[in-house]
Amino acid sequence: MSTEITTDVVVIGAGPCGLFAAFELGLLDIKSHFIDILDRPGGQCAELYPEKPIYDIPAFPVVTGQQLTDNLMAQIAPFSPEFHFSRMVNSLEKLPDGSFRLTTDADEIFHAKVVVIAAGGGSFQPKRPPVAEIEQYENKSVFYAVRKMDDFRDQDVVIVGGGDSALDWTLNLQPIVRSLTLVHRRDAFKAAPASVNKMKELVMEGKIQFMLGQIAKLDGKDGQIDHVHLTTDAGDLSVPATRLLPFFGLTMKLGPVADWGLELNDNTIVVDTENFETSVPGIFAIGDINHYPGKLKLILSGFHEAALMAQAAKKIISPDERVVFQYTTSSTKLQKKLGVA
Amino acid sequence: MKIHVTDQAGENHELEGLEGWRVMEVIRDWGLNIKAECGGALSCATCHVYVDGEWMDRVGAPSDEEEDMLDSVGDVKSNSRLSCQILMNEELDGLRVTLAPSAAKD
Ligand SMILES: Cc1cc2nc3c(=O)[nH]c(=O)nc-3n(C[C@H](O)[C@H](O)[C@H](O)COP(=O)(O)OP(=O)(O)OC[C@H]3O[C@@H](n4cnc5c(N)ncnc54)[C@H](O)[C@@H]3O)c2cc1C
Ligand code: FES
């Protein structure tokens, strides 16, 4: 059965720009729900550069991608936005009464008066290894994440990669599989040293195999693989396998956003700079995903866009309410909302 | 200053390389099939190229951080490099590279 959620605003994308929108909306008493395909907030900052320093956030001489995300989460906490992670927004349609209906791949339906698209460079999706016809095996015998451990019980599993996901799942799955082969292109790993040591112990004990190489080809039929062919320095070889888990990290894809009937400009959504509304009234686009003359893809720009968007969203959500412009420094009303007065 | 780029379809392109620019930027600005998602910040590996054998020495070896990033593509060869980590200079006039399948846009 699908879950139905009704709210003022749905924000698609919990990157820095989307997150700050929860603050600007919250000051105007607007409740927001967030949907993101990642399993945590922060968008590019959390996924692509959590440890790298950012130097151009006003009043922060230096802040890392993860620190910025953590600070934004703390700043918006008083407004209790609700997060729905690990799901992708598939469809967005306008209903006759002017409100919106969104569906996700987790079988949820959201009803909202306003939609804010803060989808950045697109939705994060697993990188596919460049292997012919891999698509036909995906979600049947080739998986990019472990959702149910039981899918791997008593299977011949091949895991590819040298990062934390590859090593963590090697250690977690080893006790329940029939056989496990870890494949990595070199003998150095990006994963936590403790996991690497544990993996090496398992190899010594003969409980798993480690192979230096890369996957070249898959054999199988009807979505079920039976062998994985590897290219190794010692030559080509084939390993019996009923499950393959490639862990090459994530890449951004525009995805379904392109199909929602909005005016686009080369993979970005055209907006009006007065309020960052798209070509469909009630749908706004802020942050890296939008386009207007002079647009700079900076976090700073997305923050500014969020503030103007919120004012316009308020007029749609509460058309009869007069909004008085106030500063957080001097307004006790705003301070009460923030829980500081 | 020239660079010669073979794209994923096997077509050759002669591009004007600018001193101090990253090879990735030159390839991207000429509109070839390179994703370069992170814009050169060594965070995506979608600017992966194979450097022609005779240029390997002049291009130099990848840093440890670049090697780590190369782990996130499945088509690495011994002459793999991330083109955002190669800066154009006089020494590299005539450089030959081939775009890896994993550098392609969606
Ligand atoms: C290495 C690197 C360094 C950078 N350094 C700086 C810097 O110093 N200063 C600066 O200002 N900027 C910097 N940037 C750019 C900055 O990260 C972006 O401008 C910023 O992340 C844009 O934020 P956003 O909220 O618009 O989108 P994003 O951060 O891209 O977040 C969008 C989110 O939406 C989700 N999403 C998209 N579509 C869907 C869907 N259909 N369903 C569910 N979820 C979806 C994505 O999964 C993602 O989590 C840097 C970028 C990189 C890669
Ligand atoms: S452009 Fe991202 S690593 Fe080179």
Side-chain angles (χ1 to χ4, degrees):
Chain A
M1 243 205 24
S2 52
T3 321
E4 298 219 11
I5 294 168
T6 302
T7 177
D8 291 331
V9 174
V10 167
V11 183
I12 303 169
C17 306
L19 291 178
F20 192 64
F23 185 82
E24 292 295 334
L25 291 165
L27 287 179
L28 300 171
D29 299 314
I30 302 170
K31 170 95 188 148
S32 45
H33 278 254
F34 281 80
I35 308 173
D36 201 301
I37 184 89
L38 291 181
D39 59 2
R40 59 193 190 284
Q44 294 177 44
C45 300
E47 188 52 43
L48 295 177
Y49 59 105
E51 309 289 335
K52 283 203 169 112
I54 311 173
Y55 300 99
D56 58 353
I57 303 297
F60 279 101
V62 56
V63 63
T64 68
Q66 190 55 49
Q67 285 166 343
L68 178 73
T69 306
D70 294 345
N71 285 347
L72 282 166
M73 289 298 281
Q75 191 170 24
I76 65 180
F79 302 118
S80 316
E82 286 181 50
F83 290 93
H84 309 266
F85 290 122
S86 305
R87 54 263 274 161
M88 165 112 117
V89 180
N90 282 333
S91 74
L92 165 58
E93 59 178 307
K94 191 165 186 157
L95 303 178
D97 69 354
S99 69
F100 298 94
R101 183 177 186 275
L102 295 94
T103 61
T104 72
D105 61 357
D107 208 14
E108 291 143 330
I109 298 167
F110 288 81
H111 293 278
K113 293 182 191 138
V114 162
V115 173
V116 178
I117 304 176
S123 52
F124 279 99
Q125 290 172 33
K127 275 190 191 169
R128 267 201 181 115
V131 175
E133 293 175 356
I134 192 163
E135 294 91 334
Q136 71 174 93
Y137 300 105
E138 286 172 355
N139 301 319
K140 293 180 185 138
S141 54
V142 174
F143 298 90
Y144 297 106
V146 177
R147 300 234 185 272
K148 279 204 313 265
M149 294 257 290
D150 236 31
D151 288 341
F152 298 84
R153 186 176 297 280
D154 301 324
Q155 303 287 329
D156 296 313
V157 180
V158 172
I159 294 181
V160 193
D164 282 309
S165 307
L167 272 286
D168 288 351
W169 285 113
T170 297
L171 303 183
N172 290 335
L173 292 175
Q174 181 274 322
I176 65 162
V177 300
R178 184 162 54 213
S179 73
L180 195 147
T181 308
L182 174 67
V183 180
H184 185 41
R185 71 174 182 99
R186 59 190 179 126
D187 198 11
F189 297 85
K190 239 191 321 183
S195 314
V196 177
N197 291 338
K198 187 88 213 335
M199 180 275 291
K200 287 184 174 160
E201 276 170 32
L202 291 173
V203 174
M204 299 272 277
E205 292 164 16
K207 291 187 174 152
I208 62 170
Q209 285 197 83
F210 171 65
M211 289 198 178
L212 271 178
Q214 296 181 76
I215 32 172
K217 196 166 108 35
L218 303 178
D219 277 349
K221 64 166 191 283
D222 300 331
Q224 177 55 57
I225 50 165
D226 51 50
H227 281 84
V228 173
H229 294 268
L230 306 176
T231 342
T232 73
D233 288 347
D236 294 353
L237 55 93
S238 116
V239 182
T242 55
R243 293 284 181 273
L244 173 66
L245 277 164
F247 289 114
F248 289 114
L250 303 176
T251 184
M252 287 184 277
K253 297 216 162 108
L254 186 61
V257 175
D259 309 324
W260 297 339
L262 302 164
E263 190 188 335
L264 298 180
N265 178 301
D266 194 18
N267 286 344
T268 50
I269 304 172
V270 175
V271 289
D272 175 353
T273 47
E274 194 176 330
N275 50 19
F276 299 95
E277 201 159 31
T278 67
S279 56
V280 177
I283 304 180
F284 298 82
I286 61 168
D288 279 13
I289 191 77
N290 75 11
H291 173 81
Y292 52 85
K295 166 74 182 184
L296 282 180
K297 285 191 186 181
L298 286 177
I299 296 168
L300 168 77
S301 321
F303 288 173
H304 156 79
E305 294 160 14
L308 286 176
M309 171 282 294
Q311 299 291 325
K314 179 71 179 176
K315 293 196 187 106
I316 297 173
I317 291 161
S318 318
D320 302 326
E321 207 176 304
R322 204 170 68 88
V323 182
V324 184
F325 176 76
Q326 303 172 85
Y327 288 117
T328 56
T329 34
S330 45
S331 158
T332 35
K333 258 190 176 166
L334 293 185
Q335 289 167 1
K336 277 204 181 111
K337 293 179 196 179
L338 291 165
V340 291
Chain B
M1 222 182 286
K2 299 278 182 235
I3 57 174
H4 302 271
V5 182
T6 307
D7 64 22
Q8 291 91 345
E11 218 174 294
N12 294 309
H13 307 264
E14 187 185 83
L15 314 183
E16 186 65 43
L18 296 168
E19 171 90 40
W21 284 53
R22 301 150 189 269
V23 169
M24 174 279 280
E25 290 169 325
V26 177
I27 301 173
R28 182 194 59 192
D29 294 352
W30 275 80
L32 302 188
N33 192 8
I34 191 168
K35 193 170 183 196
E37 181 167 281
C38 77
L42 198 45
S43 297
C44 72
T46 56
C47 61
H48 177 198
V49 297
Y50 305 119
V51 175
D52 198 271
E54 50 183 292
W55 289 92
M56 287 296 285
D57 282 352
R58 253 176 287 177
V59 166
S63 64
D64 288 351
E65 215 185 327
E66 185 178 335
E67 281 286 5
D68 282 350
M69 214 50 242
L70 279 167
D71 284 348
S72 73
V73 293
D75 51 1
V76 180
K77 297 183 188 170
S78 54
N79 58 343
S80 283
R81 287 298 309 267
L82 296 178
S83 58
C84 70
Q85 301 304 304
I86 308 173
L87 280 184
M88 276 314 289
N89 62 44
E90 285 295 341
E91 280 251 288
L92 296 184
D93 187 9
L95 175 70
R96 280 181 190 275
V97 300
T98 301
L99 293 179
S102 55
K105 294 181 200 162
D106 303 327

